[in-house]
Amino acid sequence: MALRPVVVTGLGIICAAGRDPVEFWSRLTTGQGGLTPIEDEAFAVFAARHAGQVPDAWIDDQLPPSDAHHDRTARLALVAARQAIEQAGLAEGGPDRERFGIILGKCQATPDAAGRYQPMHRTGDVVASLLDLRGPRVLVSTACAAGGNAVGLARDKILTGEADAVLAGGVDPLLFGTYAGFAGLQALSTGPCRPYSHSDGLNLGEGAAFLLVEPLDLALARGATPLAEVAGYGLSADAYHATAPDPTGRGGASAVRRALADAGLTPGDVHYVSGHGTGTPANDAMEAKVMRLVFGERAGHVPTSSIKSFLGHTLGAAGAVEAVASVLALRHGTAPPTIGFEDGPGDGGGGKAAADLDFVPNQARPMTIDTVVSNNYAFGGNNVSLVLTRPRGPREHEELPRREAVITGLGPVTGVGAGIAEVAEAVAAGRQAPGRPPSLDGRTYAPRSLWRHMNHLSRMAIAASRLAWEDAGLKLPRKALDDVGLVFATGAGSAESTGGFDESIAVNPNKPAVLSFSNVVLNATGGAVCQTLGLRGPTTTICNGGASASIALDCALEMIRAGKAEVVLVVAADETTASLGTAQPYDEDDLPEAGAPVPYGEGAGPVRGSAAVAFVVESAEHCAERGGTPYARVEGTRHAAGGDAGTVGRSLALLGGQAPGLVIGAGTGLPEDADEAAAVLEQAPGALLTSTAGLTGDCQAATGALNIALGALAVRERIAPALTGLTAPFAGDLASYVTKPDLPGPVRRALALTAAGGSVRGAVLLEAI
């Protein structure tokens, strides 16, 4: 099936190897590396001090004075984003801004001026606001694979018809804490890194890169010049280790094979591979295995190089930086070199397995290049491969077929119970425990050798995933698990690991808590779920605050619609610092003094909580073939960028006359609940409105997932959480709200809402089977 061609029409980049695409390509092809010693005195504690640093002047010279107050991460992103939009000819006019999106890859949370971590999605919100991008807005955080992952997800948004243009890329700055973590892992080289030949460690770098992605037909219609086609992409999970890649290379090879299949190509069609090439022994040896597995006897004849030898490892930006280099390689018919390469076996580089591979040593190579594969691998076992090709002309294509998807398993882990049976009982009885952390005492959900080393967030997520899997009644053979997808959603990742790591480097940056560091990346929990359940299918991590779960569901539906998976596990988890180190649930006397939140009316304010919620999404065909019993059909999803009161109505627009009988809202007890209540009562007249905040408190991404899960439960079981404390609603009267758990009649349709303040609002419409 030939799908709608998706092309790149604009490039933007700023990194140690260049302040724009022209300078970047010039330096790549002339071998001018950008790795330099770090002069900042704070870094003097480390023996290894080479990095890819971006001069402040490169940023300042390209931004207007009005952008000066933004943090360095946002400013890096703005430079690259403006370049890409300008080259694409979209600085003025272009597509409807409601259909112009941004998907940003990011590995590290950015501290504000006071040193506090900002929400992960904050950088994307700044860029979208200043450039007036009101289409899909997604923050993907699959660590070092995030930038490439973002480009692949952008292609999905085009193919599903959700967007007409997407700015896709990645950004990360050079942060002291991250540097200390890699130093603690003894992963840094003492000089400029030399991937594939002298693999003694990596250099960190910083930067941002974006690709402007749009459909070929719309690009040609407006007179744009396609630079390359995003022909396909593949995701996979190693399910092996938190920081080390699977040494067999099967995870990386799986991503390449999936990407080529997605593009309708074979390994024989590939002319050049842009490698991950960090310069560490484990990575370089693994990549050699991937080349052997994918290309077989042809492996030594497929040039592969690492541009990290020029600019270091830019973490969340790396995949986007390397995608920009890949597009330029296609445009100019030249493979960039691996500089610093030493002939001979060296002391790493994959040993005998890499001895006869072609790493384009030290000099750029003019050659015929029609197809490039760009690979990235990450902590947490996330792998991504992009297939980029020379652009072809307009041609006949088919729309991505619609496929019905159903929710078949629910796995909430909350303060009122673990498992859907316990939570349903609590809902029916009207029990509430906002702020109370889940208790997992008495049951281990993973092998004890793994369980005892896991942080609290991973334990909750694994428990939720197993409970959802059991509830779905899934009994798949081991080989089938290789194709099961996982989408992890979180607002902030592990507070326990982040806090523990930050405390350790404050005491002694040369002795960081390396176990905590390996869990600081937000995709680490998703990796732990994959490792425990043995899932190796397409995997990604979404970090859009309270809207993360509905966006994650979007990704799952896209995987199913594209035929990349028949079963996808969506799991969301967030925690508060109050729950850390607490083995037993809080006693009633220990609950927050504010009492239970009262969404949609006067009363107690929000209470922060901890929870994990998983649900199984399947294609309807797969569910029917195995004799599964679904809770509900996913009728549609909708997201509106902005996150303020004005977006509530737009997120409800998917209703299209399909009025729900029940709305489980995103209300947490804030005054802004009034706007949501008013919008729901206006656009879904007759529906009953409720919220899960009284059950658990505000658990960020997990709250959105709980709304979806309890919406599915309501459709099948006719119960919903009651707003027991509501006496004077902001909008309407009490008859418009759920005040008793037993609903007055069958629920044909339920609507679950999610919200990330100032960023995105989401809506998921569920329908009875």
Side-chain angles (χ1 to χ4, degrees):
M1 177 176 61
L3 296 176
R4 189 181 193 185
V6 176
V7 296
V8 177
T9 56
L11 302 174
I13 189 166
I14 181 169
C15 64
R19 71 197 82 188
D20 56 45
V22 173
E23 182 178 20
F24 175 64
W25 184 246
S26 174
R27 293 184 65 158
L28 289 188
T29 52
T30 56
Q32 299 178 60
L35 298 171
T36 56
I38 301 175
E39 301 298 335
D40 189 328
E41 291 184 3
F43 288 77
V45 296
F46 305 117
R49 295 181 57 196
H50 272 73
Q53 303 161 88
V54 175
D56 291 339
W58 288 10
I59 306 173
D60 297 338
D61 290 348
Q62 297 189 68
L63 293 178
S66 58
D67 291 344
H69 66 285
H70 293 296
D71 62 71
R72 183 178 177 81
T73 309
R75 285 162 58 75
L76 284 166
L78 282 165
V79 168
R82 291 182 190 279
Q83 290 174 4
I85 287 178
E86 183 175 353
Q87 183 180 18
L90 294 174
E92 301 291 338
D96 179 352
R97 287 335 236 202
E98 298 287 342
R99 296 183 55 77
F100 196 156
I102 177 171
I103 302 182
L104 179 63
K106 196 162 172 267
C107 179
Q108 310 167 101
T110 303
D112 62 16
R116 296 169 300 204
Y117 290 116
Q118 302 178 59
M120 281 292 286
H121 56 78
R122 172 64 179 163
T123 304
D125 295 336
V126 170
V127 175
S129 176
L130 291 178
L131 301 182
D132 192 27
L133 310 179
R134 300 194 297 272
R137 188 181 301 180
V138 181
L139 192 290
V140 58
S141 191
T142 44
C144 309
N149 198 340
V151 177
L153 295 181
R155 178 174 180 266
D156 285 344
K157 295 300 181 188
I158 301 295
L159 292 179
T160 58
E162 192 175 341
D164 292 331
V166 180
L167 196 61
V171 62
D172 262 318
L174 189 64
L175 296 181
F176 180 84
T178 305
Y179 206 93
F182 276 97
L185 290 173
Q186 298 183 333
L188 298 177
S189 174
T190 56
C193 64
R194 290 166 286 178
Y196 306 135
S197 66
H198 193 82
S199 303
D200 65 344
L202 58 82
N203 303 125
L204 288 175
E206 62 181 350
F210 280 102
L211 297 85
L212 198 292
V213 178
E214 58 183 311
L216 174 64
D217 54 306
L218 295 186
L220 294 177
R222 66 179 185 83
T225 300
L227 307 177
E229 286 193 22
V230 185
Y233 82 104
L235 304 174
S236 73
D238 273 357
Y240 176 74
H241 190 271
T243 58
D246 185 338
T248 68
R250 66 177 174 179
S254 174
V256 178
R257 288 167 176 155
R258 291 173 196 266
L260 289 171
D262 192 35
L265 300 173
T266 71
D269 296 313
V270 178
H271 297 117
Y272 166 66
V273 173
S274 174
H276 191 58
T278 60
T280 62
N283 177 87
D284 292 0
M286 179 273 291
E287 282 202 78
K289 294 283 183 63
V290 171
M291 294 294 291
R292 294 286 183 206
L293 289 171
V294 173
F295 297 105
E297 293 182 357
R298 186 171 170 260
H301 301 286
V302 182
T304 303
S305 63
S306 169
I307 65 167
K308 290 184 178 69
S309 56
F310 287 84
L311 58 124
H313 194 340
T314 53
L315 304 177
V321 168
E322 288 150 28
V324 168
S326 297
V327 172
L328 293 170
L330 286 164
R331 294 287 293 168
H332 296 281
T334 301
T338 306
I339 59 172
F341 193 89
E342 296 179 348
D343 291 328
D347 60 3
K352 293 181 180 179
D356 60 348
L357 297 180
D358 180 0
F359 295 114
V360 196
N362 300 318
Q363 291 187 337
R365 184 181 304 166
M367 57 181 288
T368 298
I369 305 179
D370 292 325
T371 301
V372 175
V373 171
S374 181
N375 295 327
N376 290 103
Y377 315 108
F379 279 12
N382 285 90
N383 308 303
V384 61
S385 293
L386 292 173
V387 176
L388 300 160
T389 66
R390 283 185 178 274
R392 293 183 288 158
R395 52 200 183 271
E396 293 293 324
H397 63 270
E398 301 176 51
E399 296 298 321
L400 197 64
R402 295 194 173 276
R403 300 188 69 200
E404 188 174 293
V406 293
I407 293 177
T408 57
L410 305 176
V413 172
T414 73
V416 296
I420 192 58
E422 289 186 10
V423 172
E425 182 184 359
V427 169
R431 290 200 305 273
Q432 297 182 324
R436 175 183 291 164
S439 172
L440 299 177
D441 290 349
R443 185 172 177 185
T444 299
Y445 294 86
R448 292 188 181 276
S449 59
L450 293 174
W451 188 257
R452 65 173 178 264
H453 294 300
M454 287 178 180
N455 59 29
H456 184 62
L457 193 75
S458 292
R459 288 182 176 183
M460 288 197 302
I462 288 168
S465 299
R466 282 209 181 278
L467 290 166
W469 195 265
E470 292 170 5
D471 185 50
L474 280 164
K475 296 180 181 178
L476 301 179
R478 181 177 295 274
K479 183 168 179 54
L481 297 180
D482 287 352
D483 295 318
V484 172
L486 179 129
V487 187
F488 177 56
T490 186
S494 172
E496 175 187 0
S497 292
T498 300
F501 176 69
D502 286 349
E503 288 174 10
S504 72
I505 62 172
V507 173
N508 186 347
N510 272 308
K511 290 187 178 180
V514 293
L515 181 59
S516 292
F517 177 64
S518 67
N519 286 294
V520 165
V521 291
L522 281 83
N523 61 312
T525 297
V529 172
C530 287
Q531 187 177 354
T532 304
L533 273 64
L535 308 181
R536 295 189 174 88
T539 306
T540 192
T541 293
I542 303 300
C543 302
N544 280 83
S548 299
S550 56
I551 296 173
L553 175 58
D554 254 357
C555 292
L557 297 174
E558 288 161 0
M559 289 176 184
I560 291 171
R561 189 172 173 186
K564 295 181 178 181
E566 296 296 317
V567 180
V568 183
L569 182 64
V570 177
V571 55
D574 272 305
E575 63 186 346
T576 68
T577 54
S579 69
L580 303 180
T582 305
Q584 300 292 333
Y586 287 143
D587 294 327
E588 292 298 326
D589 293 339
D590 293 328
L591 289 174
E593 292 182 0
V598 183
Y600 312 121
E602 295 290 344
V607 174
R608 290 293 301 275
S610 300
V613 179
F615 49 89
V616 176
V617 187
E618 293 183 61
S619 69
E621 303 100 301
H622 186 275
C623 178
E625 286 172 4
R626 70 176 184 85
T629 304
Y631 281 90
R633 176 188 301 110
V634 183
E635 186 64 21
T637 63
R638 177 67 182 264
H639 291 90
D644 55 17
T647 64
V648 178
R650 295 205 306 276
S651 67
L652 292 172
L654 69 91
L655 294 175
Q658 302 182 82
L662 173 71
V663 177
I664 301 182
T668 60
L670 288 167
E672 293 87 270
D673 292 355
D675 298 312
E676 181 177 275
V680 169
L681 297 185
E682 178 184 349
Q683 298 199 31
L688 292 174
L689 175 61
T690 189
S691 163
T692 62
L695 282 176
T696 61
D698 179 10
C699 306
Q700 298 190 75
T703 290
L706 187 61
N707 291 354
I708 295 168
L710 294 189
L713 181 70
V715 165
R716 197 166 85 173
E717 304 293 339
R718 227 173 91 175
I719 61 170
L723 299 174
T724 55
L726 183 63
T727 57
F730 291 131
D733 54 32
L734 282 176
S736 298
Y737 298 84
V738 177
T739 55
K740 295 181 180 180
D742 292 324
L743 298 173
V747 178
R748 179 64 184 167
R749 296 183 184 89
L751 187 70
L753 304 182
T754 67
S759 181
V760 176
R761 278 187 175 268
V764 176
L765 186 62
L766 303 168
E767 189 167 11
I769 303 297

